Amino acid sequence: MTHPGYVLRNGDIVNPESTDSFVGTVIVDGDKITGIEKGDVEDVGDRETIDCTGKWIIPGLVDLHVHLREPGFEWKETIESGAKCAVAGGYTSLCSMPNTNPAIDHAEVASFIREKAKEAGFAKVFPIGAVSKERKGNELAPLYELREAGCIAFSDDGDPVWDAGVMRRSLEIAKDIGAPICCHEEDKSLSCCGSMDECGHSYRLGITGFPGVAEEVMIARDIELARVTGGHVHICHVSTARGALLIQRAKEDGIHVTAEVTPHHLMLSHLDVDGIDTSYKMSPPLRAPADVLALREALASGVIDCIASDHAPHEPDSKDCEFEEAAMGILGLQTNLPIALKLIHDSVLTRERAIQALSFSAAKIVSLEAGMLRPGRPADIAIIDPNQKWTFSNSLNLSKSQNTPFLAKKSKKK
Ligand SMILES: [Zn+2]
């Protein structure tokens, strides 16, 4: 028996495609949206009614930057556990990074991820293929084959594409395929495996610094390669004001550049790092308060297109150690939306821009038909209560890992 459908009534409908918001009704039949109306609708047939008074009806969110850890690191996260976190966080689509083991550098791994995601249900998962074989940066992966197998973008994330010639060639092919190269921007001869931002605070803590310029020189390189190839460079997790400025100028020059920022780079600064709590260790690291302000402005104005989590689960053994030894990265899928709500509350972003940055703008970068509320489109919808008080706790956490500074800490017994 097929479900008679749903009617979502009296919700505050936020459609980032048109930036048009109104109180109204969304009608869903099967897996498709069949109607969006202002105000209420009298005759709904035998569809199930869901009262959304006081709630926002938004498109299911889209995350361009997620580490699902499967295959190869299933003790940190699996496709199923990651997809569950996603749905709990308002996401219906996510893109999974290729630093798995084996890496997503051949068709079988991409197909495996798509099948596993389908089996798991929950969110839709779109694999991102590696740019280079084994993500080693010196020999191109079979990009055409990966595209055929469903990869929607390419990246060596976790590492930069070392070789500028490989990067140039990948951009030429990516242009032909119509997919972006997603860049983890880090010149490792400058970042020196640093554990936090290079600043007065890192000197005082005695922790090796990862300077902003290590990121900025690579952003500049890849912008210039996008200029000569006409390929699409997507700059991952921008962390500095200078990086955002380079992107702004490239856009003004008409170069095909897009960019993302993480919620943690919008909320925290290097002053939050105490050198002990390893949940504040990520790559790129948290930067200066002035960088945080610049990133907020760049996101609000659209210079930075979207918010992506860089959801990076790690088991306790990788984090319960000296700060400099600890693995990089934090969870994000369940905390992105609450952080965006905080940014709306603090007037950093308008509601429409925040939802757009979490959905429509992200989908557009990888040409996904997602992030919009439109009749005829898949019923990827999230209903959220913007006034609900919410504290992220272990009992709410659906990840296999717990590494996040946004998790309410249990007080340690003395
Ligand atoms: Zn990265």
Side-chain angles (χ1 to χ4, degrees):
M1 199 181 89
T2 49
H3 194 277
Y6 299 91
V7 178
L8 313 178
R9 275 188 141 143
N10 294 317
D12 203 346
I13 300 171
V14 184
N15 188 354
E17 185 184 21
S18 59
T19 62
D20 187 18
S21 304
F22 52 84
V23 173
T25 310
V26 177
I27 302 165
V28 175
D29 290 305
D31 57 1
K32 290 231 166 6
I33 296 173
T34 51
I36 298 177
E37 309 283 343
K38 278 191 182 165
D40 208 356
V41 174
E42 288 295 313
D43 183 15
V44 297
D46 51 2
R47 298 181 185 92
E48 190 180 328
T49 296
I50 299 171
D51 180 23
C52 299
T53 306
K55 306 212 169 85
W56 300 353
I57 300 175
I58 61 172
L61 306 181
V62 179
D63 198 333
L64 285 190
H65 194 138
V66 176
H67 299 277
L68 289 180
R69 306 299 191 205
E70 185 180 0
F73 308 97
E74 290 82 358
W75 63 91
K76 293 175 190 276
E77 197 79 285
T78 60
I79 291 165
E80 185 178 0
S81 64
K84 262 187 204 169
C85 294
V87 168
Y91 284 86
T92 52
S93 303
L94 46 96
C95 303
S96 66
M97 280 294 177
N99 56 342
T100 47
N101 187 20
I104 312 178
D105 64 358
H106 52 285
E108 287 80 358
V109 189
S111 306
F112 167 82
I113 288 167
R114 291 178 66 197
E115 273 160 34
K116 272 270 174 174
K118 242 184 224 156
E119 255 170 52
F122 308 105
K124 295 172 185 166
V125 176
F126 301 91
I128 294 178
V131 173
S132 65
K133 284 189 184 162
E134 296 178 56
R135 297 174 45 259
K136 286 185 173 162
N138 40 29
E139 200 186 336
L140 268 188
L143 304 188
Y144 287 101
E145 180 189 315
L146 287 166
R147 181 67 165 156
E148 280 283 290
C151 291
I152 40 92
F154 303 95
S155 180
D156 276 356
D157 187 57
D159 288 297
V161 177
W162 295 95
D163 186 305
V166 170
M167 187 64 182
R168 178 186 181 174
R169 184 80 189 109
S170 74
L171 277 167
E172 285 163 352
I173 297 174
K175 184 189 175 191
D176 194 31
I177 292 174
I181 304 289
C182 303
C183 304
H184 172 108
E185 305 292 30
E186 177 182 354
D187 183 323
K188 294 213 169 182
S189 68
L190 290 167
S191 63
C192 302
C193 301
S195 295
M196 68 175 288
D197 186 29
E198 183 183 280
C199 57
H201 193 46
S202 70
Y203 287 119
R204 279 190 294 277
L205 291 170
I207 290 175
T208 312
F210 172 151
V213 72
E215 183 176 340
E216 291 146 3
V217 293
M218 290 293 272
I219 293 176
R221 183 198 80 170
D222 291 337
I223 282 171
E224 289 309 309
L225 291 173
R227 187 197 299 269
V228 293
T229 58
H232 175 182
V233 156
H234 175 70
I235 313 291
C236 293
H237 39 54
V238 182
S239 75
T240 73
R242 182 87 200 133
L245 185 62
L246 290 168
I247 291 160
Q248 182 184 345
R249 289 181 180 163
K251 285 188 165 183
E252 284 164 5
D253 281 357
I255 299 171
H256 198 173
V257 180
T258 53
E260 70 189 37
V261 63
T262 72
H264 45 279
H265 288 107
L266 294 168
M267 286 303 288
L268 305 169
S269 81
H270 61 209
L271 297 177
D272 292 300
V273 178
D274 63 4
I276 295 163
D277 188 344
T278 58
S279 61
Y280 290 87
K281 182 174 173 182
M282 59 283 281
S283 174
L286 299 170
R287 301 290 187 190
D291 291 304
V292 176
L293 286 181
L295 293 172
R296 288 175 165 199
E297 274 170 29
L299 179 64
S301 70
V303 164
I304 292 178
D305 300 80
C306 69
I307 297 172
S309 71
D310 195 5
H311 180 80
H314 288 296
E315 79 288 8
D317 276 357
S318 293
K319 284 289 195 181
D320 289 349
C321 53
E322 294 286 318
F323 196 84
E324 298 210 78
E325 305 300 320
M328 308 263 199
I330 69 170
L331 302 180
L333 284 168
Q334 288 182 261
T335 50
N336 294 344
L337 181 58
I339 290 172
L341 291 175
K342 171 96 173 83
L343 293 171
I344 297 168
H345 183 262
D346 295 347
S347 304
V348 174
L349 298 173
T350 63
R351 177 178 71 165
E352 281 64 26
R353 176 63 192 136
I355 301 303
Q356 186 183 56
L358 285 164
S359 60
F360 182 66
S361 299
K364 217 168 118 192
I365 289 165
V366 289
S367 311
L368 282 184
E369 280 203 350
M372 54 183 96
L373 296 172
R374 203 201 278 177
R377 298 286 168 165
D380 289 348
I381 299 171
I383 302 166
I384 61 172
D385 182 348
N387 297 314
Q388 193 193 333
K389 293 243 186 316
W390 188 82
T391 309
F392 194 37
S393 64
N394 276 323
S395 59
L396 292 172
N397 180 21
L398 297 173
S399 172
K400 293 185 99 175
S401 298
Q402 299 180 356
N403 52 308
T404 166
F406 301 117
L407 192 63
K409 300 267 184 319
K410 255 196 236 154
S411 56
K412 282 182 185 161
K413 278 186 189 157
K414 278 187 180 165

